[in-house]
Amino acid sequence: MSEDNNELLPDLDLRLTESNPDDLYDRAPCGYCSCLPDGTLVRLNQTLLGWLGYRREELVARRCLQELFTIGGQLHYETHGAPLLLLQDQVRELSYSLRCKDGRMRPVLLNAVLVRTAEGQPLVIQATLFDITERRKYEQELLRTKQLAEEQREQLARANEQLVSKNEQLTRINADLDSFVYTASHDLKQPIDNMAGLFEELKSAATFHDPQAAPMLTMFEGALRQILSTIQGLTEVVQQQRALEQLPAEEVALQSFTEDIIRGLQPMYAPYATPFVLDFGAVPTLRMARSSLHSMLYNLLSNALKYAMPGRAPHIRVSTEAAGDRVVLVVQDNGRGIDLTRHSKELFQLFRRFHPDVEGSGMGLYLVNRLVHQVGGQVEVDSTVDQGTTFRIYLPR
């Protein structure tokens, strides 16, 4: 009867209770054998014979236990296993490999006891062998996995070293390029200024009778202005970058900060009512170097005014959004827009301009992108020609 309910247990087949010691010995799930103290085999069960592939008469009184092992196993048994048996009458979990008749190897664990006579003399060794083939496969797989992990770790370490080396090299190259640009622009400025002065003297002192002279002089003057603007732009980019790299980050209240920038832009939108809408309710403050944030917002807002759609009052919305561990600063306008299918890869290149009829240096978006990447952020742009542009700047909190 069960303790939990009154249901009868099923009747047992009485044949299951019958036991035959010889049958249990021969059909055990492990290998059994008995041998003399020198290792000579005197008895083996059928399980062990099945593993080895030998007939009983091929082994009993003809072979020793240690002869069933590999050469390394034989040496170990004779120098370690047998002396331990004599010393402590038993050994446990000695690992060997059986050599089967067909040449295959079967890994086993050996447990053995030494039976002595009443006088204490060694009589017989009774050994039990456990098949550990699957265990050995598992161990080998673990070892292979460990070796693979070590190789991958070493590869990753080498890759990291190469990456650090490349980063250091790029840092040096960037510093060298900045120094080169600053030096080149500084050295070129003086001779270009001299050319401009000489050109002014030439225009005032010389008389040109060729009717093509006037437009050529105008073209030359425009080229001089463009060269001067480019040199000045290069100098400003390097100087500003060097200055911003040394400034500490601080918590900036966006509402008042942006309003100050807008007041400085008032001459650009004087003919219109205030075109700006500010919404910083989602994230009212931003941690960033004040000068970096000022340069970034000033360039985006001034561009929004500069590239307003002719005949349409500008409308510019500046807002923030929360995005997990990042803040999104959004600047949206209804201006001319940019054809991203043609210019997406050139968007943040230095001196790249997309509306040549509007005066500009082509440095604004380059500087914005560089400032954002400097603090670990990224810029996304969505734009439609004649409808407007939206900049989404993702910055770490």
Side-chain angles (χ1 to χ4, degrees):
M1 299 285 290
S2 171
E3 295 181 357
D4 299 328
N5 53 60
N6 294 325
E7 295 180 5
L8 292 174
L9 293 175
D11 293 334
L12 291 176
D13 187 336
L14 294 179
R15 289 175 298 177
L16 298 177
T17 65
E18 298 175 357
S19 61
N20 184 333
D22 290 337
D23 187 61
L24 290 175
Y25 178 85
D26 264 337
R27 299 183 182 277
C30 55
Y32 288 128
C33 68
S34 300
C35 55
L36 300 179
D38 65 355
T40 302
L41 292 165
V42 294
R43 187 178 183 188
L44 299 92
N45 74 341
Q46 192 60 47
T47 301
L48 182 55
L49 289 170
W51 290 351
L52 294 168
Y54 287 102
R55 291 178 288 108
R56 196 179 304 275
E57 54 270 23
E58 291 180 286
L59 298 178
V60 172
R62 293 178 179 273
R63 302 283 291 275
C64 294
L65 172 63
Q66 58 268 33
E67 292 176 5
L68 301 179
F69 303 149
T70 59
I71 294 176
Q74 292 180 40
L75 290 174
H76 183 274
Y77 180 83
E78 290 171 355
T79 60
H80 180 77
L84 268 182
L85 270 172
L86 291 173
L87 182 66
Q88 59 189 27
D89 292 344
Q90 66 174 353
V91 292
R92 293 181 57 81
E93 296 189 349
L94 299 182
S95 179
Y96 297 110
S97 289
L98 295 176
R99 292 187 301 176
C100 302
K101 188 174 183 179
D102 60 6
R104 290 182 299 172
M105 300 294 174
R106 182 181 293 268
V108 294
L109 284 181
L110 170 69
N111 290 348
V113 294
L114 176 62
V115 179
R116 295 179 181 271
T117 64
E119 293 77 21
Q121 294 301 313
L123 178 63
V124 66
I125 296 172
Q126 296 177 343
T128 306
L129 298 108
F130 297 96
D131 185 352
I132 57 169
T133 301
E134 294 304 318
R135 171 177 163 177
R136 184 66 56 83
K137 289 180 181 178
Y138 177 69
E139 290 173 348
Q140 291 173 346
E141 185 62 31
L142 284 179
L143 182 59
R144 282 194 296 269
T145 302
K146 181 182 178 182
Q147 291 173 340
L148 179 61
E150 285 294 322
E151 292 173 0
Q152 291 176 341
R153 185 189 64 78
E154 291 174 1
Q155 291 174 359
L156 182 60
R158 288 194 295 269
N160 284 337
E161 290 176 0
Q162 293 174 357
L163 182 61
V164 169
S165 176
K166 289 291 184 183
N167 284 339
E168 292 174 352
Q169 183 180 3
L170 287 174
T171 299
R172 289 194 299 270
I173 290 173
N174 284 336
D176 291 343
L177 285 175
D178 281 349
S179 297
F180 170 77
V181 169
Y182 180 75
T183 303
S185 60
H186 182 271
D187 292 347
L188 287 173
K189 189 174 186 302
Q190 186 61 46
I192 295 298
D193 285 340
N194 292 340
M195 289 178 61
L198 289 171
F199 180 69
E200 290 298 324
E201 289 293 330
L202 180 65
K203 285 199 302 181
S204 61
T207 302
F208 301 95
H209 301 288
D210 190 339
Q212 299 296 324
M216 290 178 66
L217 290 173
T218 301
M219 291 171 61
F220 186 79
E221 186 173 19
L224 275 177
R225 284 200 305 269
Q226 184 176 358
I227 293 173
L228 283 170
S229 175
T230 299
I231 291 174
Q232 183 63 30
L234 286 170
T235 304
E236 289 178 0
V237 165
V238 176
Q239 287 178 333
Q240 190 170 25
Q241 178 66 19
R242 287 178 174 177
L244 293 175
E245 287 175 352
Q246 302 174 0
L247 294 174
E250 56 182 294
E251 205 72 25
V252 180
L254 290 171
Q255 185 73 28
S256 58
F257 186 82
T258 308
E259 288 172 352
D260 287 342
I261 295 175
I262 291 172
R263 279 191 287 271
L265 294 172
Q266 199 276 335
M268 296 184 68
Y269 64 86
Y272 306 100
T274 303
F276 295 96
V277 175
L278 306 182
D279 180 10
F280 302 118
V283 184
T285 62
L286 190 61
R287 184 167 183 78
M288 192 173 179
R290 186 174 289 269
S291 297
S292 297
L293 184 58
H294 184 280
S295 178
M296 187 171 63
L297 277 174
Y298 180 86
N299 277 289
L300 290 175
L301 299 184
S302 61
N303 276 357
L305 292 171
K306 186 187 301 183
Y307 299 106
M309 190 69 185
R312 185 165 66 204
H315 179 80
I316 303 161
R317 187 175 188 274
V318 189
S319 60
T320 52
E321 301 172 1
D325 59 349
R326 298 193 293 179
V327 175
V328 187
L329 181 63
V330 184
V331 178
Q332 183 178 19
D333 66 55
N334 64 337
R336 296 185 177 205
I338 304 170
D339 186 352
L340 295 181
T341 57
R342 294 177 55 194
H343 304 303
S344 61
K345 295 182 179 179
E346 308 166 328
L347 198 58
F348 299 112
Q349 291 182 4
L350 189 60
F351 301 125
R352 189 68 177 89
R353 300 174 61 221
F354 309 105
H355 302 287
D357 57 312
V358 179
E359 187 175 349
S361 64
M363 293 189 303
L365 290 183
Y366 167 82
L367 190 56
V368 167
N369 188 55
R370 189 166 180 177
L371 290 171
V372 171
H373 281 276
Q374 182 181 327
V375 296
Q378 68 181 77
V379 184
E380 292 183 357
V381 184
D382 183 26
S383 188
T384 304
V385 176
D386 296 339
Q387 294 186 27
T389 302
T390 300
F391 289 89
R392 299 177 66 85
I393 300 172
Y394 292 82
L395 299 167
R397 286 185 180 270

